[in-house]
Amino acid sequence: LNVTGRPVARRHVRCEPRPAGYVECVTTDAPSAPAPAARALLPLVAPALLVGVVSALVLLGVSVVAERFEDVLWGTLPDALGVGRYSALWMVVMLTATGLAVGIVVRLVHGHAGPDRPAPRPSCGWGSARRARSGRCSVRRWPPR
């Protein structure tokens, strides 16, 4: 619903392949679904509250753990190593260690920091619209079929 309470029309995009490797996309308006009644939404209030409370508690726990890590990494550890807490050397060491940790996580975790979804572009390089029109080049679609 929009600000005035009226249903908003949703737009759907349909793409079809055309000769010479082109892809033609058409936008159509679809009727919006009717708004659900308040009684239909009432059973969802308790699970939504539960999810919100659990999420808030998890966030508080993560904040406490992060605060402890901050005390150790910027207080206890540099004092034990004999390096100043806010010296340039310690900051460079911490930034390097953080970068290595992020790189290891990206490398080892499933998905490698998310899918790579490039924008559709001519397969024979940028600036090749003339070659695409002549049929010597095609437009890549993502995700591939």
Side-chain angles (χ1 to χ4, degrees), residues 74-97:
W74 291 99
T76 309
L77 192 58
D79 289 344
L81 295 174
V83 180
R85 289 183 179 195
Y86 300 105
S87 70
L89 173 65
W90 186 246
M91 290 183 195
V92 168
V93 167
M94 289 303 299
L95 287 172
T96 304

PDB file of all heavy atoms in Angstrom, residues 74-97:
ATOM      1  N   TRP A  74      43.474  -4.051  22.234  1.00  0.00           N
ATOM      2  CA  TRP A  74      44.023  -2.697  22.297  1.00  0.00           C
ATOM      3  C   TRP A  74      44.573  -2.341  23.667  1.00  0.00           C
ATOM      4  O   TRP A  74      45.055  -1.225  23.864  1.00  0.00           O
ATOM      5  CB  TRP A  74      42.965  -1.673  21.887  1.00  0.00           C
ATOM      6  CG  TRP A  74      42.647  -1.781  20.441  1.00  0.00           C
ATOM      7  CD1 TRP A  74      41.593  -2.416  19.889  1.00  0.00           C
ATOM      8  CD2 TRP A  74      43.424  -1.275  19.359  1.00  0.00           C
ATOM      9  NE1 TRP A  74      41.649  -2.332  18.521  1.00  0.00           N
ATOM     10  CE2 TRP A  74      42.760  -1.623  18.165  1.00  0.00           C
ATOM     11  CE3 TRP A  74      44.610  -0.542  19.263  1.00  0.00           C
ATOM     12  CZ2 TRP A  74      43.236  -1.284  16.903  1.00  0.00           C
ATOM     13  CZ3 TRP A  74      45.077  -0.187  18.012  1.00  0.00           C
ATOM     14  CH2 TRP A  74      44.400  -0.564  16.853  1.00  0.00           C
ATOM     15  N   GLY A  75      44.537  -3.263  24.638  1.00  0.00           N
ATOM     16  CA  GLY A  75      45.056  -2.979  25.975  1.00  0.00           C
ATOM     17  C   GLY A  75      46.025  -4.045  26.456  1.00  0.00           C
ATOM     18  O   GLY A  75      47.231  -3.814  26.580  1.00  0.00           O
ATOM     19  N   THR A  76      45.494  -5.224  26.726  1.00  0.00           N
ATOM     20  CA  THR A  76      46.285  -6.291  27.326  1.00  0.00           C
ATOM     21  C   THR A  76      47.401  -6.774  26.401  1.00  0.00           C
ATOM     22  O   THR A  76      48.552  -6.889  26.819  1.00  0.00           O
ATOM     23  CB  THR A  76      45.361  -7.473  27.683  1.00  0.00           C
ATOM     24  OG1 THR A  76      44.261  -6.989  28.437  1.00  0.00           O
ATOM     25  CG2 THR A  76      46.107  -8.525  28.470  1.00  0.00           C
ATOM     26  N   LEU A  77      47.075  -7.059  25.153  1.00  0.00           N
ATOM     27  CA  LEU A  77      48.062  -7.609  24.215  1.00  0.00           C
ATOM     28  C   LEU A  77      49.200  -6.646  23.891  1.00  0.00           C
ATOM     29  O   LEU A  77      50.377  -7.036  23.973  1.00  0.00           O
ATOM     30  CB  LEU A  77      47.354  -8.084  22.941  1.00  0.00           C
ATOM     31  CG  LEU A  77      48.163  -8.928  21.978  1.00  0.00           C
ATOM     32  CD1 LEU A  77      48.696 -10.183  22.666  1.00  0.00           C
ATOM     33  CD2 LEU A  77      47.316  -9.311  20.781  1.00  0.00           C
ATOM     34  N   PRO A  78      48.950  -5.376  23.547  1.00  0.00           N
ATOM     35  CA  PRO A  78      50.091  -4.500  23.282  1.00  0.00           C
ATOM     36  C   PRO A  78      50.943  -4.240  24.525  1.00  0.00           C
ATOM     37  O   PRO A  78      52.161  -4.100  24.423  1.00  0.00           O
ATOM     38  CB  PRO A  78      49.459  -3.204  22.762  1.00  0.00           C
ATOM     39  CG  PRO A  78      48.017  -3.307  22.962  1.00  0.00           C
ATOM     40  CD  PRO A  78      47.689  -4.735  23.216  1.00  0.00           C
ATOM     41  N   ASP A  79      50.317  -4.217  25.713  1.00  0.00           N
ATOM     42  CA  ASP A  79      51.103  -4.046  26.939  1.00  0.00           C
ATOM     43  C   ASP A  79      51.993  -5.258  27.179  1.00  0.00           C
ATOM     44  O   ASP A  79      53.148  -5.120  27.590  1.00  0.00           O
ATOM     45  CB  ASP A  79      50.179  -3.834  28.141  1.00  0.00           C
ATOM     46  CG  ASP A  79      49.504  -2.474  28.110  1.00  0.00           C
ATOM     47  OD1 ASP A  79      49.970  -1.600  27.348  1.00  0.00           O
ATOM     48  OD2 ASP A  79      48.499  -2.299  28.837  1.00  0.00           O
ATOM     49  N   ALA A  80      51.471  -6.450  26.914  1.00  0.00           N
ATOM     50  CA  ALA A  80      52.262  -7.678  27.109  1.00  0.00           C
ATOM     51  C   ALA A  80      53.419  -7.758  26.120  1.00  0.00           C
ATOM     52  O   ALA A  80      54.482  -8.305  26.437  1.00  0.00           O
ATOM     53  CB  ALA A  80      51.363  -8.899  26.968  1.00  0.00           C
ATOM     54  N   LEU A  81      53.230  -7.216  24.904  1.00  0.00           N
ATOM     55  CA  LEU A  81      54.288  -7.246  23.892  1.00  0.00           C
ATOM     56  C   LEU A  81      55.246  -6.072  24.015  1.00  0.00           C
ATOM     57  O   LEU A  81      56.243  -6.010  23.298  1.00  0.00           O
ATOM     58  CB  LEU A  81      53.665  -7.260  22.491  1.00  0.00           C
ATOM     59  CG  LEU A  81      52.837  -8.500  22.144  1.00  0.00           C
ATOM     60  CD1 LEU A  81      52.153  -8.317  20.802  1.00  0.00           C
ATOM     61  CD2 LEU A  81      53.716  -9.739  22.139  1.00  0.00           C
ATOM     62  N   GLY A  82      54.956  -5.109  24.889  1.00  0.00           N
ATOM     63  CA  GLY A  82      55.830  -3.958  25.073  1.00  0.00           C
ATOM     64  C   GLY A  82      55.686  -2.908  23.979  1.00  0.00           C
ATOM     65  O   GLY A  82      56.588  -2.101  23.754  1.00  0.00           O
ATOM     66  N   VAL A  83      54.560  -2.918  23.279  1.00  0.00           N
ATOM     67  CA  VAL A  83      54.296  -1.939  22.226  1.00  0.00           C
ATOM     68  C   VAL A  83      53.267  -0.948  22.787  1.00  0.00           C
ATOM     69  O   VAL A  83      52.382  -1.330  23.543  1.00  0.00           O
ATOM     70  CB  VAL A  83      53.719  -2.639  20.977  1.00  0.00           C
ATOM     71  CG1 VAL A  83      53.440  -1.645  19.871  1.00  0.00           C
ATOM     72  CG2 VAL A  83      54.645  -3.723  20.508  1.00  0.00           C
ATOM     73  N   GLY A  84      53.368   0.301  22.423  1.00  0.00           N
ATOM     74  CA  GLY A  84      52.390   1.280  22.887  1.00  0.00           C
ATOM     75  C   GLY A  84      50.996   0.947  22.384  1.00  0.00           C
ATOM     76  O   GLY A  84      50.830   0.449  21.270  1.00  0.00           O
ATOM     77  N   ARG A  85      49.992   1.224  23.212  1.00  0.00           N
ATOM     78  CA  ARG A  85      48.618   0.879  22.843  1.00  0.00           C
ATOM     79  C   ARG A  85      48.164   1.564  21.563  1.00  0.00           C
ATOM     80  O   ARG A  85      47.409   0.999  20.785  1.00  0.00           O
ATOM     81  CB  ARG A  85      47.668   1.267  23.968  1.00  0.00           C
ATOM     82  CG  ARG A  85      47.799   0.410  25.180  1.00  0.00           C
ATOM     83  CD  ARG A  85      46.779   0.801  26.204  1.00  0.00           C
ATOM     84  NE  ARG A  85      46.908  -0.071  27.366  1.00  0.00           N
ATOM     85  CZ  ARG A  85      45.992  -0.173  28.288  1.00  0.00           C
ATOM     86  NH1 ARG A  85      44.900   0.556  28.217  1.00  0.00           N
ATOM     87  NH2 ARG A  85      46.168  -0.985  29.295  1.00  0.00           N
ATOM     88  N   TYR A  86      48.583   2.801  21.361  1.00  0.00           N
ATOM     89  CA  TYR A  86      48.115   3.556  20.199  1.00  0.00           C
ATOM     90  C   TYR A  86      49.274   3.956  19.285  1.00  0.00           C
ATOM     91  O   TYR A  86      49.218   4.972  18.616  1.00  0.00           O
ATOM     92  CB  TYR A  86      47.326   4.788  20.664  1.00  0.00           C
ATOM     93  CG  TYR A  86      46.124   4.388  21.490  1.00  0.00           C
ATOM     94  CD1 TYR A  86      46.130   4.538  22.865  1.00  0.00           C
ATOM     95  CD2 TYR A  86      45.012   3.831  20.884  1.00  0.00           C
ATOM     96  CE1 TYR A  86      45.041   4.146  23.625  1.00  0.00           C
ATOM     97  CE2 TYR A  86      43.919   3.437  21.631  1.00  0.00           C
ATOM     98  CZ  TYR A  86      43.940   3.596  23.004  1.00  0.00           C
ATOM     99  OH  TYR A  86      42.861   3.204  23.745  1.00  0.00           O
ATOM    100  N   SER A  87      50.300   3.124  19.246  1.00  0.00           N
ATOM    101  CA  SER A  87      51.435   3.425  18.370  1.00  0.00           C
ATOM    102  C   SER A  87      51.089   3.077  16.932  1.00  0.00           C
ATOM    103  O   SER A  87      50.212   2.254  16.658  1.00  0.00           O
ATOM    104  CB  SER A  87      52.670   2.643  18.814  1.00  0.00           C
ATOM    105  OG  SER A  87      52.496   1.270  18.551  1.00  0.00           O
ATOM    106  N   ALA A  88      51.780   3.697  15.999  1.00  0.00           N
ATOM    107  CA  ALA A  88      51.541   3.443  14.577  1.00  0.00           C
ATOM    108  C   ALA A  88      51.845   1.989  14.230  1.00  0.00           C
ATOM    109  O   ALA A  88      51.141   1.371  13.436  1.00  0.00           O
ATOM    110  CB  ALA A  88      52.388   4.386  13.728  1.00  0.00           C
ATOM    111  N   LEU A  89      52.891   1.430  14.849  1.00  0.00           N
ATOM    112  CA  LEU A  89      53.251   0.034  14.584  1.00  0.00           C
ATOM    113  C   LEU A  89      52.105  -0.901  14.961  1.00  0.00           C
ATOM    114  O   LEU A  89      51.752  -1.800  14.195  1.00  0.00           O
ATOM    115  CB  LEU A  89      54.521  -0.338  15.356  1.00  0.00           C
ATOM    116  CG  LEU A  89      54.923  -1.812  15.297  1.00  0.00           C
ATOM    117  CD1 LEU A  89      55.293  -2.189  13.868  1.00  0.00           C
ATOM    118  CD2 LEU A  89      56.056  -2.092  16.258  1.00  0.00           C
ATOM    119  N   TRP A  90      51.513  -0.693  16.140  1.00  0.00           N
ATOM    120  CA  TRP A  90      50.427  -1.579  16.571  1.00  0.00           C
ATOM    121  C   TRP A  90      49.202  -1.437  15.665  1.00  0.00           C
ATOM    122  O   TRP A  90      48.526  -2.412  15.355  1.00  0.00           O
ATOM    123  CB  TRP A  90      50.047  -1.293  18.022  1.00  0.00           C
ATOM    124  CG  TRP A  90      49.040  -2.271  18.531  1.00  0.00           C
ATOM    125  CD1 TRP A  90      47.764  -2.026  18.888  1.00  0.00           C
ATOM    126  CD2 TRP A  90      49.243  -3.672  18.703  1.00  0.00           C
ATOM    127  NE1 TRP A  90      47.138  -3.175  19.272  1.00  0.00           N
ATOM    128  CE2 TRP A  90      48.027  -4.212  19.175  1.00  0.00           C
ATOM    129  CE3 TRP A  90      50.311  -4.537  18.513  1.00  0.00           C
ATOM    130  CZ2 TRP A  90      47.869  -5.555  19.452  1.00  0.00           C
ATOM    131  CZ3 TRP A  90      50.141  -5.882  18.793  1.00  0.00           C
ATOM    132  CH2 TRP A  90      48.931  -6.371  19.245  1.00  0.00           C
ATOM    133  N   MET A  91      48.913  -0.230  15.204  1.00  0.00           N
ATOM    134  CA  MET A  91      47.767  -0.030  14.306  1.00  0.00           C
ATOM    135  C   MET A  91      47.976  -0.738  12.976  1.00  0.00           C
ATOM    136  O   MET A  91      47.058  -1.358  12.448  1.00  0.00           O
ATOM    137  CB  MET A  91      47.520   1.462  14.092  1.00  0.00           C
ATOM    138  CG  MET A  91      46.985   2.153  15.307  1.00  0.00           C
ATOM    139  SD  MET A  91      46.648   3.872  14.962  1.00  0.00           S
ATOM    140  CE  MET A  91      46.484   4.501  16.613  1.00  0.00           C
ATOM    141  N   VAL A  92      49.195  -0.671  12.437  1.00  0.00           N
ATOM    142  CA  VAL A  92      49.491  -1.355  11.175  1.00  0.00           C
ATOM    143  C   VAL A  92      49.384  -2.867  11.364  1.00  0.00           C
ATOM    144  O   VAL A  92      48.829  -3.583  10.520  1.00  0.00           O
ATOM    145  CB  VAL A  92      50.884  -0.947  10.647  1.00  0.00           C
ATOM    146  CG1 VAL A  92      51.321  -1.850   9.515  1.00  0.00           C
ATOM    147  CG2 VAL A  92      50.874   0.503  10.206  1.00  0.00           C
ATOM    148  N   VAL A  93      49.901  -3.377  12.495  1.00  0.00           N
ATOM    149  CA  VAL A  93      49.812  -4.821  12.771  1.00  0.00           C
ATOM    150  C   VAL A  93      48.345  -5.244  12.880  1.00  0.00           C
ATOM    151  O   VAL A  93      47.941  -6.271  12.315  1.00  0.00           O
ATOM    152  CB  VAL A  93      50.590  -5.162  14.062  1.00  0.00           C
ATOM    153  CG1 VAL A  93      50.253  -6.560  14.551  1.00  0.00           C
ATOM    154  CG2 VAL A  93      52.080  -5.028  13.832  1.00  0.00           C
ATOM    155  N   MET A  94      47.518  -4.465  13.571  1.00  0.00           N
ATOM    156  CA  MET A  94      46.105  -4.823  13.737  1.00  0.00           C
ATOM    157  C   MET A  94      45.349  -4.771  12.405  1.00  0.00           C
ATOM    158  O   MET A  94      44.534  -5.654  12.111  1.00  0.00           O
ATOM    159  CB  MET A  94      45.433  -3.884  14.746  1.00  0.00           C
ATOM    160  CG  MET A  94      45.883  -4.109  16.173  1.00  0.00           C
ATOM    161  SD  MET A  94      45.622  -5.793  16.737  1.00  0.00           S
ATOM    162  CE  MET A  94      43.884  -5.941  16.606  1.00  0.00           C
ATOM    163  N   LEU A  95      45.619  -3.751  11.589  1.00  0.00           N
ATOM    164  CA  LEU A  95      44.950  -3.669  10.284  1.00  0.00           C
ATOM    165  C   LEU A  95      45.372  -4.820   9.373  1.00  0.00           C
ATOM    166  O   LEU A  95      44.546  -5.393   8.650  1.00  0.00           O
ATOM    167  CB  LEU A  95      45.251  -2.328   9.627  1.00  0.00           C
ATOM    168  CG  LEU A  95      44.535  -1.123  10.254  1.00  0.00           C
ATOM    169  CD1 LEU A  95      45.059   0.170   9.650  1.00  0.00           C
ATOM    170  CD2 LEU A  95      43.044  -1.232  10.054  1.00  0.00           C
ATOM    171  N   THR A  96      46.647  -5.172   9.401  1.00  0.00           N
ATOM    172  CA  THR A  96      47.126  -6.292   8.589  1.00  0.00           C
ATOM    173  C   THR A  96      46.491  -7.604   9.042  1.00  0.00           C
ATOM    174  O   THR A  96      46.039  -8.407   8.214  1.00  0.00           O
ATOM    175  CB  THR A  96      48.658  -6.376   8.656  1.00  0.00           C
ATOM    176  OG1 THR A  96      49.209  -5.134   8.241  1.00  0.00           O
ATOM    177  CG2 THR A  96      49.186  -7.500   7.788  1.00  0.00           C
ATOM    178  N   ALA A  97      46.442  -7.821  10.355  1.00  0.00           N
ATOM    179  CA  ALA A  97      45.836  -9.048  10.881  1.00  0.00           C
ATOM    180  C   ALA A  97      44.345  -9.110  10.545  1.00  0.00           C
ATOM    181  O   ALA A  97      43.813 -10.171  10.191  1.00  0.00           O
ATOM    182  CB  ALA A  97      46.042  -9.123  12.392  1.00  0.00           C
TER     183      ALA A  97
END
